[in-house]
Amino acid sequence: MQSKRTPWLCLFLSSGILLATGCGAGDFAEVSGTVTMDGKPLVDAQVWFECPGRRAALGVTDAEGRYEVRYSGKQTGSVIGKNTVRIETLLWNEGGQPIKGAIEVPMKYRDANKSELSADVQSGKNTFNFQR
């Protein structure tokens, strides 16, 4: 017979793991900013905010390098806590042809395991500008 405490213990332990990794248990905050490379806006770049054990939030830069992050279709922002940030651009179109004017972002910013970028998302509005 299963103890009545087992589900609560599992919930407690899983929330403790999330908190230990630096991310809250589901609280979100607004995240926006700009991305520039070599002093120019990085256009059409994907800006990923990733928190261990959670789905990543994504923003796409506009013509002026500005982005706003969304966690899902209905949820804006990113998970509160320490996030690894990745920035990448598309270099090839669906037909396999190079995209004219596309700028390749260095691996140290686009690889989730190697990214040197991070952001400590706090409650409220957050602005993170990335200049490379």
Side-chain angles (χ1 to χ4, degrees), residues 21-129:
T21 61
C23 295
D27 292 329
F28 296 88
E30 292 181 41
V31 174
S32 62
T34 58
V35 180
T36 58
M37 185 164 284
D38 300 325
K40 298 177 183 174
L42 191 58
V43 180
D44 294 327
Q46 298 175 341
V47 183
W48 298 89
F49 279 67
E50 300 176 338
C51 196
R54 304 298 297 267
R55 179 175 54 213
L58 170 66
V60 178
T61 59
D62 63 15
E64 295 175 9
R66 295 180 304 215
Y67 70 92
E68 291 183 9
V69 171
R70 295 192 70 80
Y71 185 76
S72 67
K74 294 180 182 180
Q75 181 64 58
T76 60
S78 182
V79 176
I80 291 174
K82 180 108 171 160
N83 284 254
T84 298
V85 179
R86 288 189 303 119
I87 300 173
E88 60 184 320
T89 55
L90 297 177
L91 301 175
W92 310 92
N93 65 21
E94 292 177 11
Q97 300 298 313
I99 297 173
K100 185 178 178 181
I103 298 171
E104 184 171 4
V105 175
M107 185 64 73
K108 64 183 178 180
Y109 306 128
R110 62 187 159 120
D111 185 296
N113 297 316
K114 297 178 183 176
S115 180
E116 298 176 358
L117 304 174
S118 64
D120 190 12
V121 177
Q122 302 291 318
S123 180
K125 292 184 180 184
N126 295 264
T127 302
F128 298 104
N129 298 321

